[in-house]
Amino acid sequence: MRFNSRSSKLPLFPLIMSIFFVVSGGPYAMETLVSSSGAGLALVLILVTLFVWSLPAALMTAELTSAIPAEGGYYVWAKEALGPFGGFLCGWWSWVYSWVDTSLYPGLFVGYLVAVADQASPNGPLHNLSPLQKWLLGMAMLVPIIWINVRGIKLSGIASVVLGLLLLTPFVLLIGIGIAKFGGHATAIFQPFNAPGKSVKESFGAGLFVIMWNYLAWDSLSTVCGETEHPARNFPKALMWSLLITVAFYFLPFAVGIAAVPDISKWTEGSWTAIASAVGGSWLGLLVAFGAILSVIGMCNATLLSGSRLPLVMAEDKLLPKQLSALHPKHKTPWVGICVSAAFAALLTVKGFAELVKVDVLIYSAGLLLEFAALVVLRYKRPELARRYRIPGGKPGVWLLVLVPTGLIVAAFVITLKGDFEAAMITIGALASGPIVYGVARLARGRKTSA
C-alpha cells in the first residue's frame, strides 16, 4: 500500500527495543510504588501484574499481529471484528491515549535533567526554572523526536537500540554489584510487606495505577505492522523478548534497591540516583540519573511513533480529515499525523503527572477492552484465519486470558470514581468524544457522497 521497500522497514532487534520503550523504558517513575504500597507488595505487584495485565495483552497482540499484520494494527482488528464503529472507537481512544502518554515525557525529561544538573551544581542555572521555562525545555526534547519520526521508522528504531543499550548498562552494573553486596538479605526485601498505616487493600490501590502504567502498551506498535519486516513472524518474537527484558529490569533493580535502602519513605519520585549511589557509589548514581534522561527520550520517541499511524489509516477510511493521511514527499512518513499528535501532547503537558497517569491508564484500558473483544469475536467469526501464533487452550483459554485483565480494568475504574473525581470526569469526557467525532465524520462523509 505505502511501504514497499524492505530497506525502509523495521528489523527484529529495533522492534524489540521499540516495544521495550513504548511499554517500559526501565524502572524509572516507579519509585513511589515502594513508599505507597510497601516493599513486599511492590515486588509482588511487579510479578503478579506481569501475569494478569501484561501477558494477556502481549499474547493477544502476538496472535492478532500474526493473523492480521496490517498497518494500523488494533484499529484494523477491531474494525474487522466489531465493525466500523467499534474500530473507530478503538482507534480514536488509542490515539487520544497516545497524546496523554506522550505529554508525560517532557515533564519527566525536565525533572531528571534538573536532578542531574543539581548533582553537578546545586545552585546552577536549572535550579529555579519558571513553569514556562520548564515547558520550553520540555519542547526542546520533543522537537528533535518529531524530526526523527518524520525521517522514518528505521531511524526511530536505531534510536531505540542506542538509547536502550545506554540506559540498561547502569542497571546491569547495579544488579551485579547489588547481588554481590546484598545477596544474603533476600528475605528482608519483603519487609514491610504493605505501607505502614495502610491495609493491604489500601496499599494495593495506592500502587495499582503506577504498576499498570509501567506495564501497558504491548499492543501499541502493532500500528506499524506495515512498516515492519516479516510482521507475522517477528512481532510474536519481539513481544516475548521485550516482555522478558521488561520484567527483569523491573524486579531485579527493585529487589537490589530495597536491600540497599530498606527505609521505604526514601523511595520517592526520582530517587533512583540516591538508591544507585547507596548500592555502588556516587559514580553509579550519576550513570543511573543520566540513564533516566535517555529513558524518557526513548519512551517519547516510541510512543509518538506508535500513535501517529492511527490518524493515517483512519483518514484513509474517511473517518478523519484527509490531510492526516498526507505522507512526507521524501521520507514517506505520515508527517502531518506526527506533528498533530505532538501538538496535542504539548498542550497536555500543563497537567500534573499523577493525574495524567490515571487518565492515561483508563483511556488506554477502554481501547484494550475493544481489542480483547476483537480477539474473542475473531476466534468465532474467522476460525479459518491463518494465525502464525495462536493462544493455547482453545476458546476457553482465550476467554480466561480476556476476563482476568478485564477484572483489573473494572477495579481501576471503580477506584478512580471513588477517589479522584476530576480524573474520572476527564476520562469520561475523553471516551465520550469518540461517538461524537464518529457521528460528525459519518455526517460529513454522507454530505460529500451526496454532493
Side-chain angles (χ1 to χ4, degrees):
M1 181 172 60
R2 292 172 295 270
F3 312 103
N4 298 318
S5 172
R6 184 179 175 186
S7 64
S8 66
K9 293 190 174 184
L10 193 65
L12 177 60
F13 188 55
L15 177 62
I16 292 171
M17 297 312 297
S18 296
I19 294 174
F20 166 72
F21 270 115
V22 83
V23 171
S24 168
Y28 299 105
M30 288 178 67
E31 302 95 325
T32 58
L33 182 64
V34 175
S35 55
S36 61
S37 295
L41 191 55
L43 293 173
V44 169
L45 277 170
I46 288 172
L47 294 178
V48 170
T49 310
L50 167 71
F51 291 101
V52 302
W53 177 242
S54 286
L55 191 60
L59 293 178
M60 177 268 295
T61 305
E63 175 166 321
L64 292 180
T65 49
S66 71
I68 309 176
E71 187 79 355
Y74 44 79
Y75 162 71
V76 179
W77 311 336
K79 183 176 65 171
E80 173 70 22
L82 309 175
F85 182 58
F88 179 84
L89 289 183
C90 184
W92 176 260
W93 289 343
S94 298
W95 191 29
V96 172
Y97 142 76
S98 75
W99 306 342
V100 180
D101 206 52
T102 305
S103 72
L104 295 168
Y105 302 123
L108 287 174
F109 170 78
V110 173
Y112 286 127
L113 187 64
V114 170
V116 172
D118 277 350
Q119 279 201 317
S121 176
N123 295 309
L126 298 182
H127 186 66
N128 291 311
L129 295 175
S130 68
L132 177 60
Q133 289 172 322
K134 289 181 179 179
W135 185 85
L136 291 173
L137 194 56
M139 294 307 101
M141 178 207 71
L142 187 57
V143 170
I145 291 172
I146 296 170
W147 177 82
I148 288 173
N149 274 267
V150 170
R151 288 291 299 261
I153 194 170
K154 286 289 287 285
L155 183 58
S156 177
I158 291 170
S160 292
V161 171
V162 174
L163 292 168
L165 294 176
L166 288 175
L167 85 88
L168 290 178
T169 298
F171 283 102
V172 171
L173 296 173
L174 181 143
I175 293 166
I177 295 170
I179 290 174
K181 289 179 66 174
F182 306 107
H185 301 79
T187 55
I189 62 177
F190 289 93
Q191 300 299 325
F193 183 78
N194 52 285
K198 296 180 183 177
S199 66
V200 173
K201 181 180 178 180
E202 290 170 333
S203 298
F204 171 82
L208 180 62
F209 285 97
V210 175
I211 194 66
M212 286 179 73
W213 180 66
N214 281 281
Y215 260 138
L216 58 76
W218 297 99
D219 56 330
S220 290
L221 277 170
S222 66
T223 57
V224 299
C225 273
E227 301 166 79
T228 304
E229 287 184 6
H230 312 295
R233 182 184 70 193
N234 283 350
F235 257 94
K237 290 182 180 179
L239 287 161
M240 178 193 70
W241 283 109
S242 56
L243 189 75
L244 293 173
I245 294 169
T246 296
V247 70
F249 282 92
Y250 279 169
F251 186 83
L252 293 175
F254 269 86
V256 166
I258 291 169
V261 183
D263 183 356
I264 66 171
S265 66
K266 294 183 179 179
W267 284 76
T268 57
E269 189 175 319
S271 60
W272 270 118
T273 301
I275 294 164
S277 297
V279 172
S282 58
W283 65 272
L284 184 57
L286 189 59
L287 284 179
V288 168
F290 183 66
I293 298 172
L294 302 179
S295 172
V296 171
I297 294 172
M299 288 188 289
C300 190
N301 170 58
T303 303
L304 185 60
L305 170 66
S306 65
S308 62
R309 270 50 180 178
L310 289 167
L312 168 67
V313 292
M314 293 167 74
E316 289 184 338
D317 285 345
K318 297 181 174 58
L319 293 172
L320 288 177
K322 65 178 182 179
Q323 290 81 2
L324 290 170
S325 64
L327 298 180
H328 192 279
K330 179 179 179 182
H331 305 298
K332 304 303 178 185
T333 51
W335 70 276
V336 176
I338 291 168
C339 293
V340 170
S341 298
F344 278 116
L347 293 174
L348 288 169
T349 56
V350 298
K351 302 295 290 183
F353 178 82
E355 185 178 43
L356 284 174
V357 164
K358 290 183 179 180
V359 174
D360 194 44
V361 169
L362 294 175
I363 297 174
Y364 169 80
S365 297
L368 186 65
L369 287 175
L370 293 177
E371 295 171 46
F372 283 139
L375 173 68
V376 174
V377 169
L378 287 172
R379 276 293 185 101
Y380 288 90
K381 182 180 176 181
R382 298 285 304 277
E384 83 292 347
L385 194 64
R387 295 166 170 86
R388 193 180 183 99
Y389 171 80
R390 184 183 289 266
I391 294 166
K395 290 173 183 175
V398 169
W399 276 107
L400 178 63
L401 186 97
V402 165
L403 290 176
V404 172
T406 298
L408 190 63
I409 291 170
V410 171
F413 271 97
V414 170
I415 290 171
T416 304
L417 286 170
K418 288 183 176 180
D420 194 333
F421 182 77
E422 184 178 357
M425 291 301 101
I426 293 173
T427 302
I428 291 170
L431 297 181
S433 69
I436 295 171
V437 175
Y438 181 77
V440 172
R442 289 299 296 267
L443 182 62
R445 185 175 177 179
R447 286 177 176 174
K448 287 181 181 179
T449 301
S450 299

